[in-house]
């Protein structure tokens, strides 16, 4: 028996395939770009969390050391290996009432006397001493030091007096690559630890 064929059938199939591809390709690309974007976002979330944890540990161990906040910034910088310093908006080292406290709202815009020290990306470049060992006045609570508002030597580490809590708040920006999900997203994290007690 003779087989019937539809004239132009191959053309119709090719046309249908093109239409299907036109619908499927944008969805596929959105899926691929979505995995890329949110994978990078998740990486930055983990980086912010890690840097904040390292900074809080440095603040806890640093206690009343004059260069305690310098060590906090160095620790935060070390924890930001997967991000650029320019992606960081602010780092706040603050006195906390307890492990569940939050950063004081005023500290997000400026340092507050006896409450917190607020740092921005340029502060990461500050050093304690020059190559000859001379104090540069950037830390150690000198008149113009960036840590003068809540001096490390004012932090209570005596067991008899009651050890204080210290918090580190970190805020940064994740920049989306494709722009399909917006320009950027603000990431924040807070870690609070007790200052390491001193017996003397």
């Amino acid at each position: 028996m003779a087989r019937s064929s539809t004239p132009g059938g191959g053309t119709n199939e090719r046309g249908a395939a093109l239409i299907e591809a036109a619908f499927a390709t944008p969805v596929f690309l959105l899926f691929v770009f979505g995995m890329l974007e949110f994978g990078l976002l998740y990486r930055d979330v983990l980086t912010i969390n890690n840097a904040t944890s390292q900074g809080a540990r440095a603040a806890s161990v640093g206690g009343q050391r004059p260069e305690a906040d310098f060590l906090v910034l160095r620790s935060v910088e070390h924890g930001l290996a997967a991000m650029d310093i320019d992606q960081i908006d602010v780092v706040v080292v603050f006195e906390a009432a307890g492990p569940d406290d939050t950063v004081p709202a005023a500290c997000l815009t400026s340092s507050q006397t006896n409450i917190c020290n607020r740092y921005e990306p340029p502060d990461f470049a500050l050093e304690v001493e020059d190559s000859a060992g001379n104090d540069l006045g950037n830390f150690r609570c000198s008149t113009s030091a960036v840590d003068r508002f809540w001096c490390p030597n004012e932090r209570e580490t005596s067991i008899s007096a009651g050890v204080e809590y210290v918090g580190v708040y970190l805020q940064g920006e994740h920049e989306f690559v494709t722009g399909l999900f917006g320009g950027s997203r603000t990431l924040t994290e807070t870690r609070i630890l007790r200052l390491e007690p001193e017996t003397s």
Side-chain angles (χ1 to χ4, degrees), residues 24-70:
T25 301
V27 175
F28 175 74
L29 291 176
L30 183 63
F31 179 72
V32 170
F33 288 140
M35 287 196 304
L36 169 69
E37 288 285 26
F38 285 97
L40 294 174
L41 173 62
Y42 186 59
R43 179 204 64 183
D44 283 356
V45 168
L46 293 179
T47 299
I48 290 285
N49 291 350
N50 178 58
T52 308
S53 294
Q54 290 197 31
R57 285 194 293 270
S60 173
V61 173
Q64 293 184 329
R65 291 178 62 180
E67 64 279 5
D69 279 15
F70 170 77

mmCIF file of all heavy atoms in Angstrom, residues 24-70:
data_model
loop_
_atom_site.group_PDB
_atom_site.id
_atom_site.type_symbol
_atom_site.label_atom_id
_atom_site.label_comp_id
_atom_site.label_asym_id
_atom_site.label_seq_id
_atom_site.Cartn_x
_atom_site.Cartn_y
_atom_site.Cartn_z
ATOM 1 N N ALA A 24 11.365 27.745 25.037
ATOM 2 C CA ALA A 24 12.169 27.025 26.027
ATOM 3 C C ALA A 24 13.496 27.707 26.348
ATOM 4 O O ALA A 24 13.954 27.683 27.490
ATOM 5 C CB ALA A 24 12.440 25.600 25.531
ATOM 6 N N THR A 25 14.123 28.330 25.338
ATOM 7 C CA THR A 25 15.455 28.917 25.538
ATOM 8 C C THR A 25 15.486 30.000 26.617
ATOM 9 O O THR A 25 16.359 29.967 27.493
ATOM 10 C CB THR A 25 16.014 29.464 24.213
ATOM 11 O OG1 THR A 25 16.094 28.402 23.264
ATOM 12 C CG2 THR A 25 17.394 30.065 24.417
ATOM 13 N N PRO A 26 14.559 30.991 26.622
ATOM 14 C CA PRO A 26 14.601 32.001 27.691
ATOM 15 C C PRO A 26 14.435 31.398 29.077
ATOM 16 O O PRO A 26 15.094 31.836 30.033
ATOM 17 C CB PRO A 26 13.425 32.920 27.342
ATOM 18 C CG PRO A 26 13.210 32.738 25.884
ATOM 19 C CD PRO A 26 13.525 31.298 25.628
ATOM 20 N N VAL A 27 13.565 30.383 29.193
ATOM 21 C CA VAL A 27 13.367 29.731 30.489
ATOM 22 C C VAL A 27 14.643 29.023 30.925
ATOM 23 O O VAL A 27 15.059 29.105 32.089
ATOM 24 C CB VAL A 27 12.190 28.729 30.417
ATOM 25 C CG1 VAL A 27 12.065 27.965 31.733
ATOM 26 C CG2 VAL A 27 10.897 29.454 30.086
ATOM 27 N N PHE A 28 15.279 28.344 29.982
ATOM 28 C CA PHE A 28 16.522 27.638 30.280
ATOM 29 C C PHE A 28 17.620 28.613 30.708
ATOM 30 O O PHE A 28 18.331 28.388 31.688
ATOM 31 C CB PHE A 28 16.971 26.835 29.060
ATOM 32 C CG PHE A 28 18.303 26.175 29.233
ATOM 33 C CD1 PHE A 28 18.447 25.057 30.048
ATOM 34 C CD2 PHE A 28 19.433 26.681 28.597
ATOM 35 C CE1 PHE A 28 19.689 24.449 30.214
ATOM 36 C CE2 PHE A 28 20.675 26.075 28.759
ATOM 37 C CZ PHE A 28 20.801 24.958 29.569
ATOM 38 N N LEU A 29 17.756 29.710 29.966
ATOM 39 C CA LEU A 29 18.782 30.701 30.293
ATOM 40 C C LEU A 29 18.515 31.353 31.642
ATOM 41 O O LEU A 29 19.440 31.619 32.419
ATOM 42 C CB LEU A 29 18.853 31.764 29.195
ATOM 43 C CG LEU A 29 19.407 31.290 27.840
ATOM 44 C CD1 LEU A 29 19.336 32.413 26.814
ATOM 45 C CD2 LEU A 29 20.833 30.785 27.982
ATOM 46 N N LEU A 30 17.227 31.629 31.929
ATOM 47 C CA LEU A 30 16.876 32.205 33.231
ATOM 48 C C LEU A 30 17.269 31.252 34.352
ATOM 49 O O LEU A 30 17.777 31.670 35.392
ATOM 50 C CB LEU A 30 15.374 32.505 33.277
ATOM 51 C CG LEU A 30 14.856 33.183 34.547
ATOM 52 C CD1 LEU A 30 15.491 34.567 34.700
ATOM 53 C CD2 LEU A 30 13.342 33.293 34.525
ATOM 54 N N PHE A 31 17.037 29.964 34.122
ATOM 55 C CA PHE A 31 17.404 28.948 35.108
ATOM 56 C C PHE A 31 18.920 28.918 35.320
ATOM 57 O O PHE A 31 19.405 28.895 36.455
ATOM 58 C CB PHE A 31 16.899 27.583 34.643
ATOM 59 C CG PHE A 31 17.239 26.453 35.567
ATOM 60 C CD1 PHE A 31 16.609 26.324 36.797
ATOM 61 C CD2 PHE A 31 18.198 25.516 35.210
ATOM 62 C CE1 PHE A 31 16.927 25.284 37.651
ATOM 63 C CE2 PHE A 31 18.522 24.478 36.063
ATOM 64 C CZ PHE A 31 17.883 24.348 37.291
ATOM 65 N N VAL A 32 19.676 28.949 34.227
ATOM 66 C CA VAL A 32 21.140 28.907 34.315
ATOM 67 C C VAL A 32 21.676 30.158 35.007
ATOM 68 O O VAL A 32 22.505 30.077 35.926
ATOM 69 C CB VAL A 32 21.765 28.766 32.914
ATOM 70 C CG1 VAL A 32 23.274 28.961 32.975
ATOM 71 C CG2 VAL A 32 21.431 27.408 32.320
ATOM 72 N N PHE A 33 21.196 31.337 34.569
ATOM 73 C CA PHE A 33 21.663 32.579 35.177
ATOM 74 C C PHE A 33 21.236 32.671 36.637
ATOM 75 O O PHE A 33 21.949 33.232 37.472
ATOM 76 C CB PHE A 33 21.150 33.785 34.393
ATOM 77 C CG PHE A 33 21.826 33.971 33.065
ATOM 78 C CD1 PHE A 33 21.094 34.354 31.943
ATOM 79 C CD2 PHE A 33 23.181 33.762 32.917
ATOM 80 C CE1 PHE A 33 21.705 34.525 30.711
ATOM 81 C CE2 PHE A 33 23.806 33.926 31.694
ATOM 82 C CZ PHE A 33 23.068 34.305 30.585
ATOM 83 N N GLY A 34 20.048 32.129 36.929
ATOM 84 C CA GLY A 34 19.587 32.128 38.323
ATOM 85 C C GLY A 34 20.499 31.313 39.213
ATOM 86 O O GLY A 34 20.840 31.738 40.323
ATOM 87 N N MET A 35 20.909 30.136 38.734
ATOM 88 C CA MET A 35 21.845 29.314 39.515
ATOM 89 C C MET A 35 23.164 30.047 39.717
ATOM 90 O O MET A 35 23.752 30.020 40.804
ATOM 91 C CB MET A 35 22.083 27.977 38.808
ATOM 92 C CG MET A 35 20.925 27.007 38.887
ATOM 93 S SD MET A 35 21.412 25.311 38.467
ATOM 94 C CE MET A 35 22.112 25.555 36.840
ATOM 95 N N LEU A 36 23.636 30.708 38.655
ATOM 96 C CA LEU A 36 24.886 31.465 38.750
ATOM 97 C C LEU A 36 24.773 32.590 39.765
ATOM 98 O O LEU A 36 25.602 32.712 40.681
ATOM 99 C CB LEU A 36 25.254 32.027 37.382
ATOM 100 C CG LEU A 36 26.392 33.058 37.352
ATOM 101 C CD1 LEU A 36 27.714 32.400 37.693
ATOM 102 C CD2 LEU A 36 26.456 33.743 35.996
ATOM 103 N N GLU A 37 23.726 33.402 39.623
ATOM 104 C CA GLU A 37 23.562 34.570 40.488
ATOM 105 C C GLU A 37 23.394 34.178 41.956
ATOM 106 O O GLU A 37 24.037 34.749 42.838
ATOM 107 C CB GLU A 37 22.349 35.395 40.042
ATOM 108 C CG GLU A 37 22.548 36.149 38.744
ATOM 109 C CD GLU A 37 23.426 37.379 38.886
ATOM 110 O OE1 GLU A 37 24.276 37.437 39.795
ATOM 111 O OE2 GLU A 37 23.263 38.304 38.067
ATOM 112 N N PHE A 38 22.529 33.210 42.213
ATOM 113 C CA PHE A 38 22.265 32.861 43.607
ATOM 114 C C PHE A 38 23.389 32.008 44.200
ATOM 115 O O PHE A 38 23.578 32.005 45.414
ATOM 116 C CB PHE A 38 20.901 32.182 43.731
ATOM 117 C CG PHE A 38 19.764 33.159 43.610
ATOM 118 C CD1 PHE A 38 19.121 33.339 42.402
ATOM 119 C CD2 PHE A 38 19.395 33.939 44.689
ATOM 120 C CE1 PHE A 38 18.094 34.279 42.269
ATOM 121 C CE2 PHE A 38 18.373 34.874 44.575
ATOM 122 C CZ PHE A 38 17.715 35.041 43.364
ATOM 123 N N GLY A 39 24.162 31.355 43.357
ATOM 124 C CA GLY A 39 25.368 30.695 43.848
ATOM 125 C C GLY A 39 26.386 31.715 44.336
ATOM 126 O O GLY A 39 26.982 31.567 45.405
ATOM 127 N N LEU A 40 26.572 32.783 43.553
ATOM 128 C CA LEU A 40 27.496 33.854 43.961
ATOM 129 C C LEU A 40 26.968 34.604 45.177
ATOM 130 O O LEU A 40 27.747 35.002 46.054
ATOM 131 C CB LEU A 40 27.706 34.824 42.787
ATOM 132 C CG LEU A 40 28.432 34.246 41.562
ATOM 133 C CD1 LEU A 40 28.442 35.254 40.422
ATOM 134 C CD2 LEU A 40 29.861 33.842 41.925
ATOM 135 N N LEU A 41 25.644 34.798 45.231
ATOM 136 C CA LEU A 41 25.047 35.457 46.396
ATOM 137 C C LEU A 41 25.288 34.625 47.648
ATOM 138 O O LEU A 41 25.679 35.162 48.699
ATOM 139 C CB LEU A 41 23.548 35.656 46.167
ATOM 140 C CG LEU A 41 22.739 36.180 47.364
ATOM 141 C CD1 LEU A 41 23.215 37.559 47.795
ATOM 142 C CD2 LEU A 41 21.250 36.212 47.037
ATOM 143 N N TYR A 42 25.068 33.323 47.553
ATOM 144 C CA TYR A 42 25.272 32.440 48.702
ATOM 145 C C TYR A 42 26.733 32.456 49.151
ATOM 146 O O TYR A 42 27.031 32.446 50.348
ATOM 147 C CB TYR A 42 24.847 31.025 48.341
ATOM 148 C CG TYR A 42 24.873 30.066 49.498
ATOM 149 C CD1 TYR A 42 24.113 30.283 50.641
ATOM 150 C CD2 TYR A 42 25.673 28.928 49.458
ATOM 151 C CE1 TYR A 42 24.137 29.400 51.711
ATOM 152 C CE2 TYR A 42 25.709 28.035 50.524
ATOM 153 C CZ TYR A 42 24.935 28.277 51.642
ATOM 154 O OH TYR A 42 24.968 27.402 52.702
ATOM 155 N N ARG A 43 27.651 32.507 48.177
ATOM 156 C CA ARG A 43 29.073 32.599 48.517
ATOM 157 C C ARG A 43 29.347 33.857 49.336
ATOM 158 O O ARG A 43 30.055 33.815 50.343
ATOM 159 C CB ARG A 43 29.912 32.622 47.238
ATOM 160 C CG ARG A 43 31.417 32.738 47.482
ATOM 161 C CD ARG A 43 32.142 33.335 46.297
ATOM 162 N NE ARG A 43 31.729 34.704 46.040
ATOM 163 C CZ ARG A 43 32.161 35.439 45.025
ATOM 164 N NH1 ARG A 43 33.004 34.917 44.159
ATOM 165 N NH2 ARG A 43 31.757 36.690 44.861
ATOM 166 N N ASP A 44 28.772 34.996 48.929
ATOM 167 C CA ASP A 44 29.004 36.249 49.654
ATOM 168 C C ASP A 44 28.338 36.241 51.026
ATOM 169 O O ASP A 44 28.860 36.824 51.982
ATOM 170 C CB ASP A 44 28.508 37.437 48.830
ATOM 171 C CG ASP A 44 29.469 37.796 47.699
ATOM 172 O OD1 ASP A 44 30.551 37.173 47.617
ATOM 173 O OD2 ASP A 44 29.140 38.696 46.901
ATOM 174 N N VAL A 45 27.179 35.582 51.144
ATOM 175 C CA VAL A 45 26.526 35.447 52.456
ATOM 176 C C VAL A 45 27.439 34.684 53.411
ATOM 177 O O VAL A 45 27.654 35.095 54.557
ATOM 178 C CB VAL A 45 25.162 34.735 52.323
ATOM 179 C CG1 VAL A 45 24.627 34.326 53.699
ATOM 180 C CG2 VAL A 45 24.150 35.634 51.628
ATOM 181 N N LEU A 46 27.989 33.569 52.930
ATOM 182 C CA LEU A 46 28.900 32.784 53.768
ATOM 183 C C LEU A 46 30.158 33.573 54.107
ATOM 184 O O LEU A 46 30.682 33.477 55.226
ATOM 185 C CB LEU A 46 29.283 31.487 53.049
ATOM 186 C CG LEU A 46 28.167 30.460 52.842
ATOM 187 C CD1 LEU A 46 28.703 29.243 52.090
ATOM 188 C CD2 LEU A 46 27.556 30.031 54.162
ATOM 189 N N THR A 47 30.643 34.361 53.153
ATOM 190 C CA THR A 47 31.844 35.164 53.386
ATOM 191 C C THR A 47 31.598 36.217 54.463
ATOM 192 O O THR A 47 32.428 36.409 55.365
ATOM 193 C CB THR A 47 32.291 35.851 52.081
ATOM 194 O OG1 THR A 47 32.598 34.850 51.101
ATOM 195 C CG2 THR A 47 33.526 36.704 52.306
ATOM 196 N N ILE A 48 30.463 36.910 54.372
ATOM 197 C CA ILE A 48 30.107 37.918 55.384
ATOM 198 C C ILE A 48 29.992 37.267 56.759
ATOM 199 O O ILE A 48 30.486 37.796 57.768
ATOM 200 C CB ILE A 48 28.790 38.619 55.004
ATOM 201 C CG1 ILE A 48 28.980 39.529 53.786
ATOM 202 C CG2 ILE A 48 28.233 39.412 56.194
ATOM 203 C CD1 ILE A 48 29.698 40.828 54.071
ATOM 204 N N ASN A 49 29.335 36.107 56.824
ATOM 205 C CA ASN A 49 29.182 35.407 58.102
ATOM 206 C C ASN A 49 30.542 35.011 58.685
ATOM 207 O O ASN A 49 30.794 35.182 59.885
ATOM 208 C CB ASN A 49 28.326 34.154 57.919
ATOM 209 C CG ASN A 49 26.876 34.461 57.618
ATOM 210 O OD1 ASN A 49 26.450 35.616 57.715
ATOM 211 N ND2 ASN A 49 26.107 33.456 57.244
ATOM 212 N N ASN A 50 31.415 34.502 57.830
ATOM 213 C CA ASN A 50 32.740 34.082 58.277
ATOM 214 C C ASN A 50 33.565 35.270 58.762
ATOM 215 O O ASN A 50 34.211 35.207 59.814
ATOM 216 C CB ASN A 50 33.463 33.371 57.132
ATOM 217 C CG ASN A 50 34.875 32.957 57.510
ATOM 218 O OD1 ASN A 50 35.079 32.216 58.460
ATOM 219 N ND2 ASN A 50 35.858 33.450 56.760
ATOM 220 N N ALA A 51 33.546 36.367 58.012
ATOM 221 C CA ALA A 51 34.323 37.552 58.389
ATOM 222 C C ALA A 51 33.827 38.137 59.710
ATOM 223 O O ALA A 51 34.624 38.563 60.551
ATOM 224 C CB ALA A 51 34.241 38.600 57.285
ATOM 225 N N THR A 52 32.511 38.147 59.902
ATOM 226 C CA THR A 52 31.945 38.673 61.150
ATOM 227 C C THR A 52 32.344 37.799 62.330
ATOM 228 O O THR A 52 32.685 38.304 63.400
ATOM 229 C CB THR A 52 30.416 38.760 61.056
ATOM 230 O OG1 THR A 52 30.060 39.477 59.873
ATOM 231 C CG2 THR A 52 29.833 39.497 62.253
ATOM 232 N N SER A 53 32.311 36.486 62.138
ATOM 233 C CA SER A 53 32.703 35.569 63.208
ATOM 234 C C SER A 53 34.169 35.748 63.583
ATOM 235 O O SER A 53 34.517 35.775 64.763
ATOM 236 C CB SER A 53 32.460 34.121 62.772
ATOM 237 O OG SER A 53 31.086 33.873 62.600
ATOM 238 N N GLN A 54 35.019 35.901 62.570
ATOM 239 C CA GLN A 54 36.445 36.107 62.848
ATOM 240 C C GLN A 54 36.672 37.432 63.571
ATOM 241 O O GLN A 54 37.497 37.520 64.489
ATOM 242 C CB GLN A 54 37.239 36.064 61.545
ATOM 243 C CG GLN A 54 37.322 34.682 60.929
ATOM 244 C CD GLN A 54 38.428 34.561 59.896
ATOM 245 O OE1 GLN A 54 39.462 35.215 59.989
ATOM 246 N NE2 GLN A 54 38.210 33.727 58.894
ATOM 247 N N GLY A 55 35.941 38.473 63.163
ATOM 248 C CA GLY A 55 36.072 39.761 63.824
ATOM 249 C C GLY A 55 35.622 39.714 65.276
ATOM 250 O O GLY A 55 36.260 40.296 66.161
ATOM 251 N N ALA A 56 34.528 39.002 65.537
ATOM 252 C CA ALA A 56 34.021 38.890 66.909
ATOM 253 C C ALA A 56 34.992 38.124 67.794
ATOM 254 O O ALA A 56 35.205 38.486 68.960
ATOM 255 C CB ALA A 56 32.644 38.221 66.902
ATOM 256 N N ARG A 57 35.586 37.074 67.256
ATOM 257 C CA ARG A 57 36.584 36.330 68.037
ATOM 258 C C ARG A 57 37.791 37.199 68.366
ATOM 259 O O ARG A 57 38.321 37.160 69.482
ATOM 260 C CB ARG A 57 37.019 35.072 67.285
ATOM 261 C CG ARG A 57 35.995 33.952 67.309
ATOM 262 C CD ARG A 57 36.602 32.627 66.858
ATOM 263 N NE ARG A 57 36.968 32.656 65.449
ATOM 264 C CZ ARG A 57 36.165 32.307 64.461
ATOM 265 N NH1 ARG A 57 34.928 31.929 64.726
ATOM 266 N NH2 ARG A 57 36.577 32.338 63.206
ATOM 267 N N ALA A 58 38.217 38.004 67.388
ATOM 268 C CA ALA A 58 39.351 38.906 67.631
ATOM 269 C C ALA A 58 39.001 39.946 68.685
ATOM 270 O O ALA A 58 39.834 40.277 69.538
ATOM 271 C CB ALA A 58 39.759 39.591 66.329
ATOM 272 N N ALA A 59 37.773 40.458 68.653
ATOM 273 C CA ALA A 59 37.347 41.448 69.651
ATOM 274 C C ALA A 59 37.282 40.824 71.035
ATOM 275 O O ALA A 59 37.660 41.452 72.034
ATOM 276 C CB ALA A 59 35.981 42.011 69.265
ATOM 277 N N SER A 60 36.814 39.577 71.103
ATOM 278 C CA SER A 60 36.714 38.890 72.389
ATOM 279 C C SER A 60 38.090 38.624 72.988
ATOM 280 O O SER A 60 38.333 38.905 74.164
ATOM 281 C CB SER A 60 35.959 37.567 72.196
ATOM 282 O OG SER A 60 35.977 36.795 73.383
ATOM 283 N N VAL A 61 38.979 38.107 72.160
ATOM 284 C CA VAL A 61 40.334 37.795 72.639
ATOM 285 C C VAL A 61 41.133 39.074 72.881
ATOM 286 O O VAL A 61 41.930 39.160 73.813
ATOM 287 C CB VAL A 61 41.064 36.884 71.627
ATOM 288 C CG1 VAL A 61 42.520 36.691 72.025
ATOM 289 C CG2 VAL A 61 40.354 35.544 71.520
ATOM 290 N N GLY A 62 40.906 40.093 72.043
ATOM 291 C CA GLY A 62 41.638 41.355 72.168
ATOM 292 C C GLY A 62 41.386 42.064 73.473
ATOM 293 O O GLY A 62 42.278 42.712 74.037
ATOM 294 N N GLY A 63 40.165 41.943 73.987
ATOM 295 C CA GLY A 63 39.830 42.525 75.285
ATOM 296 C C GLY A 63 40.201 43.988 75.416
ATOM 297 O O GLY A 63 39.757 44.830 74.644
ATOM 298 N N GLN A 64 41.074 44.280 76.374
ATOM 299 C CA GLN A 64 41.490 45.660 76.645
ATOM 300 C C GLN A 64 42.795 46.047 75.946
ATOM 301 O O GLN A 64 43.317 47.131 76.200
ATOM 302 C CB GLN A 64 41.647 45.871 78.153
ATOM 303 C CG GLN A 64 40.346 45.789 78.922
ATOM 304 C CD GLN A 64 40.542 46.112 80.393
ATOM 305 O OE1 GLN A 64 41.599 45.862 80.971
ATOM 306 N NE2 GLN A 64 39.524 46.676 81.004
ATOM 307 N N ARG A 65 43.294 45.200 75.083
ATOM 308 C CA ARG A 65 44.528 45.549 74.375
ATOM 309 C C ARG A 65 44.323 46.844 73.593
ATOM 310 O O ARG A 65 43.295 47.028 72.928
ATOM 311 C CB ARG A 65 44.928 44.428 73.422
ATOM 312 C CG ARG A 65 45.390 43.162 74.114
ATOM 313 C CD ARG A 65 45.724 42.073 73.102
ATOM 314 N NE ARG A 65 46.822 42.467 72.218
ATOM 315 C CZ ARG A 65 47.299 41.695 71.252
ATOM 316 N NH1 ARG A 65 46.750 40.508 71.022
ATOM 317 N NH2 ARG A 65 48.306 42.112 70.496
ATOM 318 N N PRO A 66 45.269 47.761 73.626
ATOM 319 C CA PRO A 66 45.106 49.059 72.962
ATOM 320 C C PRO A 66 44.806 48.951 71.462
ATOM 321 O O PRO A 66 44.113 49.795 70.911
ATOM 322 C CB PRO A 66 46.447 49.754 73.198
ATOM 323 C CG PRO A 66 47.004 49.107 74.427
ATOM 324 C CD PRO A 66 46.544 47.684 74.363
ATOM 325 N N GLU A 67 45.311 47.904 70.813
ATOM 326 C CA GLU A 67 45.109 47.758 69.373
ATOM 327 C C GLU A 67 44.025 46.713 69.054
ATOM 328 O O GLU A 67 43.997 46.142 67.962
ATOM 329 C CB GLU A 67 46.416 47.380 68.671
ATOM 330 C CG GLU A 67 46.993 46.045 69.060
ATOM 331 C CD GLU A 67 47.789 46.082 70.362
ATOM 332 O OE1 GLU A 67 47.829 47.129 71.025
ATOM 333 O OE2 GLU A 67 48.367 45.044 70.715
ATOM 334 N N ALA A 68 43.104 46.493 69.996
ATOM 335 C CA ALA A 68 42.083 45.454 69.824
ATOM 336 C C ALA A 68 41.259 45.652 68.549
ATOM 337 O O ALA A 68 41.017 44.703 67.802
ATOM 338 C CB ALA A 68 41.160 45.425 71.044
ATOM 339 N N ASP A 69 40.819 46.878 68.278
ATOM 340 C CA ASP A 69 39.985 47.108 67.092
ATOM 341 C C ASP A 69 40.780 46.995 65.794
ATOM 342 O O ASP A 69 40.236 46.616 64.753
ATOM 343 C CB ASP A 69 39.297 48.474 67.172
ATOM 344 C CG ASP A 69 38.050 48.429 68.048
ATOM 345 O OD1 ASP A 69 37.888 47.450 68.807
ATOM 346 O OD2 ASP A 69 37.232 49.368 67.977
ATOM 347 N N PHE A 70 42.067 47.305 65.851
ATOM 348 C CA PHE A 70 42.926 47.085 64.694
ATOM 349 C C PHE A 70 42.952 45.595 64.353
ATOM 350 O O PHE A 70 42.856 45.206 63.183
ATOM 351 C CB PHE A 70 44.340 47.585 64.984
ATOM 352 C CG PHE A 70 45.364 47.185 63.954
ATOM 353 C CD1 PHE A 70 45.435 47.848 62.733
ATOM 354 C CD2 PHE A 70 46.248 46.145 64.195
ATOM 355 C CE1 PHE A 70 46.378 47.483 61.773
ATOM 356 C CE2 PHE A 70 47.195 45.773 63.253
ATOM 357 C CZ PHE A 70 47.255 46.445 62.030
#
